[in-house]
Amino acid sequence: MKTEDIKKILIGESKPLKKEYVSTGSTLLNLACSDNPFNGFAKGHYYFLVGDSASGKTFLSLTCLAEAARNPSFKDYRFIYDNAEDGALMDIEKFFGKKVAEKLEAPSYENNLPVYSSTIEEFYYHIDDAIKANKPFIYILDSMDALSSIEEANKFEEQKQAFKKGKEAAGSYTDGKAKKNSANLRRAVAALKKTGSILIINNQTRNNVTGIGFEKKTRSGGRALRFYACLELWSSIKEKISKIINGKNRQLGIRCQIQLKKNRLTGKERTVIIP
């Protein structure tokens, strides 16, 4: 079968809506998200990416910026990368292109140094600043797990002082993020539509130890993270990609399994494997 015939089958009767979408960088994942090989994430929405450690969350997020950099409809967009966990130390230009490296910015700066969110409150303040700048943006939070909260800091200090006095602090220990997300995410999502901006939040999976009959994996941050998401994607490592180089087995990457657990674009929940 000729390449052009395959393209016609993939596209079907629909035309690529590149102006309203950013590609994920994977034809297969685009199809899973939108039923269109060119369209991944629609403008004006928030996307929730949950995954195991080293399962490709950061790479997928930044690949969206690489796709946006080559899409004329994202020419005037800000690329904001909130590296809260300080985990992405790769060469941005090498992996995602010169345009991304030039456009990539932190949420804010102090004395010309990047300032990333350290608390859930600070994250929403940064989002609010980006919205009030009246310029469309793609904002990536990497990740929700790396954020603390004022409530958590206060509780830690209370327990610390109680320990020094040989006492036990009252109340349970909580980071308060679920409550903050419930109160603030709705407001942020509503504002995204006005400018056609995109918010991507990465989150780490955790083992669920609540008992038999439950999902093996869970995550933190509360129900609002799922409720307001346009797409909720869960990533895991299906297998490693390796090659024999100079007589030694070298890992080149992974095959990532991505499961769509929520899909407001098509309503279809799918699972795909991408390199």
Side-chain angles (χ1 to χ4, degrees):
M1 186 177 287
K2 295 182 180 180
T3 303
E4 291 302 318
D5 293 332
I6 296 174
K7 284 183 179 179
K8 290 178 182 179
I9 292 173
L10 285 173
I11 297 171
E13 298 299 323
S14 64
K15 295 181 180 180
L17 302 174
K18 290 186 176 180
K19 290 184 179 180
E20 299 304 322
Y21 287 77
V22 62
S23 171
T24 63
S26 166
T27 299
L28 193 59
L29 184 54
N30 287 344
L31 284 166
C33 291
S34 67
D35 277 344
N36 189 299
F38 302 100
N39 302 337
F41 297 165
K43 292 180 178 179
H45 298 282
Y46 143 63
Y47 300 89
F48 189 34
L49 180 54
V50 186
D52 298 341
S53 179
S55 65
K57 299 185 299 298
T58 298
F59 258 82
L60 176 59
S61 302
L62 292 173
T63 297
C64 289
L65 295 185
E67 290 293 330
R70 60 192 293 272
N71 187 332
S73 70
F74 288 88
K75 180 181 177 181
D76 297 325
Y77 274 61
R78 298 172 64 193
F79 292 176
I80 306 173
Y81 182 52
D82 197 346
N83 191 12
E85 64 183 34
D86 196 25
L89 305 178
M90 72 282 287
D91 186 329
I92 296 297
E93 183 173 345
K94 175 182 177 180
F95 288 106
F96 307 105
K98 186 177 181 180
K99 284 186 178 180
V100 174
E102 291 174 346
K103 293 188 65 173
L104 199 65
E105 59 179 290
S108 63
Y109 291 85
E110 187 174 330
N111 298 323
N112 293 321
L113 295 175
V115 176
Y116 303 112
S117 300
S118 59
T119 65
I120 188 70
E121 292 88 357
E122 193 172 14
F123 162 61
Y124 282 110
Y125 298 154
H126 281 146
I127 285 287
D128 189 61
D129 288 341
I131 291 167
K132 289 180 177 177
N134 290 320
K135 186 174 182 179
F137 58 83
I138 299 177
Y139 190 115
I140 299 171
L141 172 62
D142 195 14
S143 63
M144 175 64 63
D145 303 84
L147 300 180
S148 179
S149 67
I150 294 175
E151 181 178 336
E152 185 177 32
N154 291 340
K155 189 63 181 178
F156 175 83
E157 188 62 30
E158 179 186 341
Q159 290 183 328
K160 178 181 175 182
Q161 296 302 321
F163 174 79
K164 287 183 176 181
K165 297 176 181 178
K167 300 179 180 179
E168 185 174 342
S172 60
Y173 192 88
T174 174
D175 60 13
K177 284 192 287 189
K179 185 166 57 177
K180 293 294 181 181
N181 283 325
S182 181
N184 294 289
L185 190 54
R186 176 185 59 182
R187 181 173 177 272
V189 168
L192 295 175
K193 297 178 183 179
K194 296 179 181 179
T195 58
S197 297
I198 291 174
L199 170 63
I200 300 173
I201 295 180
N202 292 341
N203 206 343
Q204 181 82 14
T205 58
R206 298 179 179 183
N207 290 330
N208 192 346
V209 293
T210 55
I212 299 173
F214 292 84
E215 295 284 344
K216 292 182 179 179
K217 296 176 183 178
T218 184
R219 48 83 183 169
S220 63
R223 296 179 181 179
L225 290 173
R226 173 182 172 85
F227 182 81
Y228 291 108
C230 183
L231 296 174
E232 181 182 357
L233 305 91
W234 285 60
S235 66
S236 60
I237 299 173
K238 182 67 175 178
E239 61 182 358
K240 295 180 179 180
I241 300 174
S242 59
K243 183 178 181 180
I244 302 298
I245 301 176
N246 296 327
K248 294 185 178 182
N249 193 27
R250 305 291 189 184
Q251 183 182 344
L252 304 181
I254 63 166
R255 285 188 175 85
C256 175
Q257 178 173 291
I258 299 183
Q259 179 183 5
L260 273 75
K261 291 192 175 184
K262 179 180 179 180
N263 189 338
R264 283 184 173 174
L265 296 179
T266 67
K268 300 173 183 177
E269 298 179 2
R270 291 168 167 162
T271 300
V272 296
I273 298 174
I274 62 173

